[in-house]
């Protein structure tokens, strides 16, 4: 009888434990899994960092780890093999990888939303100081030849087919410099300044704060910001692997909601000093807070005695009433067109629209944005034009743009 009673007590206790545990999970919305998101130490990793630091992930019942990664190639590999569920990522990386430029052709990385516009730059070494000024594109070709008379000229970008690679090639073409006449190498963003200091390259394209750091340390100067190349251009995105996109849709939507809240927070200019202080920490960007803060506020001390350039409406933007965060298929097609234009692939894929459909999750973004009363821009698949180019890009006829554009 005693054994029977003890058994009844144990069973009853187990039932109470199960019920109470289930209740705790429901009331606290405790997540079933840890979500891992990677980032590269750049200013525009801020939406992920702020979503973590300000408790936005927790608000949506998520347990998110944000991890600093060494390079974009490292981010690519970890997203594809599932070690990371997603990451702060170059918008064009999924297209580069899918086309076999920056990875195994056919590998799928999905773009869930955008994180920022603007805020990258092309830094030139002191070799060019006095030969070319800020946005002085007409003097670049002669300046390159002048430096080439003394040494080889090499430029660095951060990932083959990535945004920085394409901003660099677009700039060279607009300046009348054939990319084949100079060296183009790949270097991780945090290593740019050190490599320029030891004369490994004469210029680079990268995100902030590494252009500002070069200027502040008198290693190089900011020749042109990417918003001067294309105002409000797409830059970083939240990129996720196929498994997370297809199998954890509700978690992904909550991740996006938290990041959207962080993007709104970041576009309140009163919060940017605090953002700079957080980003400057060693476990995040690990750069001088003064440089981070200045360029977040749109104030670029160019270096090379060129003064300060102030941006009023096209500094680094994270939300802009939803204009920033909507991923656009037209932008993906533009990058595919650049790959064909610059000979990185044989020709523009005939199924370029299908590739954009596959990699850009615009329907999911629209669902999340509408649930938060965030406007969804209606400008996708409309023609647009860069600041430094004569040709207009029509995503419905990209071949015409490729033919009209200098190589």
């Amino acid at each position: 009888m005693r054994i029977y009673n003890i058994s009844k007590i144990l069973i009853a206790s187990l039932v109470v434990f199960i019920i109470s545990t289930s209740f705790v999970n429901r009331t606290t919305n405790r997540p079933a899994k840890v979500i891992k998101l990677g980032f590269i130490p750049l200013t525009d990793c801020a939406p992920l960092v702020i979503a973590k630091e300000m408790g936005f992930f927790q608000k949506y019942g998520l347990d998110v780890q944000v991890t600093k990664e060494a390079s974009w190639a490292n981010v690519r590999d970890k997203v594809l093999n599932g070690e990371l569920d997603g990451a702060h990522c170059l918008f064009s990386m999924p297209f580069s990888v899918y086309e076999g430029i920056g990875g195994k052709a056919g590998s799928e990385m999905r773009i869930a939303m955008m994180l920022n516009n603007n805020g990258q730059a092309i830094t030139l070494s002191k070799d060019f100081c006095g030969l070319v000024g800020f946005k002085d594109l007409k003097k670049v070709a002669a300046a390159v030849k002048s430096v080439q008379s003394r040494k080889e000229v090499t430029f660095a970008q951060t990932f083959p087919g990535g945004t920085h690679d394409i901003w660099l090639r677009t700039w060279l073409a607009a300046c009348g410099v054939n990319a084949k006449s100079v060296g183009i190498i790949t270097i991780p963003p945090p290593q740019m300044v050190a490599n320029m200091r030891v004369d490994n390259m004469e210029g680079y394209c990268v995100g902030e704060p590494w252009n500002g750091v070069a200027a502040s340390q008198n290693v190089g100067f900011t020749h042109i910001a990417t918003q001067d190349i294309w105002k409000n251009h797409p830059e970083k995105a939240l990129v996720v692997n196929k498994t997370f996109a297809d199998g954890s849709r509700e978690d992904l939507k909550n991740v996006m909601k938290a990041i959207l809240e962080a993007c709104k927070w970041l576009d309140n200019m009163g919060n940017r000093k605090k953002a700079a202080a957080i980003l400057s920490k060693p476990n995040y960007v690990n750069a001088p807070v003064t440089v981070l803060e200045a360029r977040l506020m749109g104030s670029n001390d160019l270096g090379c005695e060129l003064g300060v350039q102030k941006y009023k409406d096209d500094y680094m933007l994270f939300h802009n009433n939803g204009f920033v965060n909507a991923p656009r298929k037209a932008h993906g097609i533009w990058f595919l067109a650049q790959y064909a234009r610059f000979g990185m692939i044989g020709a523009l894929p005939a199924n370029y629209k299908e590739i954009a459909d596959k990699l850009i999750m615009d329907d999911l973004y629209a669902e999340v944005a509408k649930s938060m009363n965030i406007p969804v821009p209606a400008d996708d698949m409309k023609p647009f034009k860069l600041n430094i180019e004569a040709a207009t890009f029509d995503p419905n006829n990209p071949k015409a743009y490729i033919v009209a554009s200098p190589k």
Side-chain angles (χ1 to χ4, degrees):
M1 182 67 70
R2 177 180 291 178
I3 295 174
Y4 172 73
N5 288 336
I6 291 174
S7 298
K8 285 178 66 178
I9 292 170
L10 289 173
I11 292 169
S13 299
L14 181 60
V15 169
V16 170
F17 173 78
I18 292 171
I19 292 172
S20 64
T21 303
S22 177
F23 178 73
V24 169
N25 284 342
R26 287 198 307 271
T27 55
T28 62
N29 198 21
R30 188 163 61 200
K33 60 168 284 187
V34 175
I35 296 169
K36 297 181 180 179
L37 302 177
F39 70 90
I40 292 292
L42 290 161
T43 303
D44 51 29
C45 75
L48 272 65
V49 171
I50 294 302
K52 178 69 173 180
E53 290 283 332
M54 300 302 295
F56 295 132
F57 287 134
Q58 187 177 11
K59 173 182 174 179
Y60 287 95
L62 301 169
D63 184 359
V64 175
Q65 290 181 0
V66 292
T67 63
K68 183 191 286 193
E69 304 299 331
S71 68
W72 291 121
N74 189 236
V75 167
R76 173 203 61 202
D77 293 345
K78 288 187 175 182
V79 169
L80 287 174
N81 69 23
E83 192 171 342
L84 291 172
D85 296 296
H88 152 253
C89 192
L90 302 160
F91 169 75
S92 58
M93 182 190 287
F95 292 93
S96 170
V97 171
Y98 190 83
E99 287 301 303
I101 299 167
K104 183 181 178 182
S107 300
E108 290 186 29
M109 303 169 72
R110 306 278 184 82
I111 298 168
M113 62 177 286
M114 299 303 301
L115 300 178
N116 75 294
N117 291 165
N118 309 323
Q120 323 299 296
I122 291 173
T123 288
L124 298 178
S125 71
K126 290 189 290 184
D127 289 310
F128 285 91
C129 191
L131 296 178
V132 59
F134 178 64
K135 294 198 299 186
D136 200 356
L137 273 61
K138 292 181 180 179
K139 292 184 178 180
V140 170
V144 169
K145 287 183 179 179
S146 175
V147 177
Q148 283 177 326
S149 68
R150 296 180 280 109
K151 60 193 291 192
E152 292 185 8
V153 171
T154 298
F155 294 98
Q157 43 75 31
T158 64
F159 186 82
T163 54
H164 302 128
D165 188 12
I166 299 305
W167 307 145
L168 177 66
R169 293 173 189 272
T170 302
W171 168 75
L172 286 170
C175 294
V177 178
N178 190 312
K180 294 180 180 178
S181 69
V182 297
I184 296 180
I185 59 176
T186 301
I187 293 178
Q191 298 176 25
M192 287 292 191
V193 178
N195 274 273
M196 181 170 279
R197 184 180 288 111
V198 297
D199 203 30
N200 282 343
M201 74 286 217
E202 286 62 53
Y204 60 72
C205 184
V206 74
E208 297 299 348
W210 306 116
N211 302 288
V213 169
S216 70
Q217 295 182 0
N218 196 31
V219 173
F221 66 96
T222 301
H223 164 64
I224 189 170
T226 49
Q227 53 264 43
D228 299 313
I229 295 173
W230 177 2
K231 183 176 179 178
N232 295 335
H233 64 79
E235 184 50 44
K236 301 302 188 302
L238 174 66
V239 169
V240 296
N241 61 47
K242 186 177 179 181
T243 301
F244 188 60
D246 293 340
S248 301
R249 207 166 182 83
E250 291 305 313
D251 281 343
L252 176 54
K253 286 195 288 187
N254 283 327
V255 166
M256 293 166 69
K257 289 175 183 177
I259 290 175
L260 280 166
E261 291 215 28
C263 289
K264 286 182 179 181
W265 187 92
L266 283 159
D267 265 7
N268 180 337
M269 297 304 284
N271 291 330
R272 293 211 170 181
K273 287 188 176 183
K274 183 173 183 178
I278 293 170
L279 291 168
S280 70
K281 294 178 180 179
N283 56 318
Y284 292 131
V285 179
N286 193 26
V289 67
T290 52
V291 175
L292 281 158
E293 182 181 312
R295 298 214 168 190
L296 269 173
M297 301 299 288
S299 181
N300 291 11
D301 188 342
L302 304 173
C304 192
E305 299 183 356
L306 292 173
V308 176
Q309 174 68 20
K310 294 191 176 181
Y311 293 90
K312 296 181 180 180
D313 65 347
D314 55 353
Y315 39 72
M316 189 178 291
L317 295 168
F318 297 95
H319 185 62
N320 196 13
N321 198 33
F323 179 86
V324 170
N325 306 115
R328 293 163 173 81
K329 292 176 182 177
H331 293 165
I333 294 169
W334 184 84
F335 278 99
L336 289 172
Q338 304 315 301
Y339 300 158
R341 171 188 177 185
F342 294 123
M344 303 170 83
I345 55 177
L348 180 72
N351 64 335
Y352 63 87
K353 286 187 177 180
E354 287 81 358
I355 295 171
D357 287 340
K358 180 180 291 188
L359 300 182
I360 294 180
M361 304 176 71
D362 57 338
D363 288 346
L364 181 67
Y365 173 77
E367 178 186 341
V368 171
K370 289 175 183 177
S371 75
M372 300 178 71
N373 295 316
I374 294 172
V376 178
D379 61 350
D380 202 4
M381 298 306 290
K382 291 184 179 179
F384 57 85
K385 186 177 178 180
L386 275 63
N387 301 17
I388 64 171
E389 291 188 332
T392 295
F393 180 77
D394 183 350
N396 295 296
N397 185 18
K399 290 183 180 179
Y401 165 86
I402 295 170
V403 170
S405 299
K407 312 300 186 282

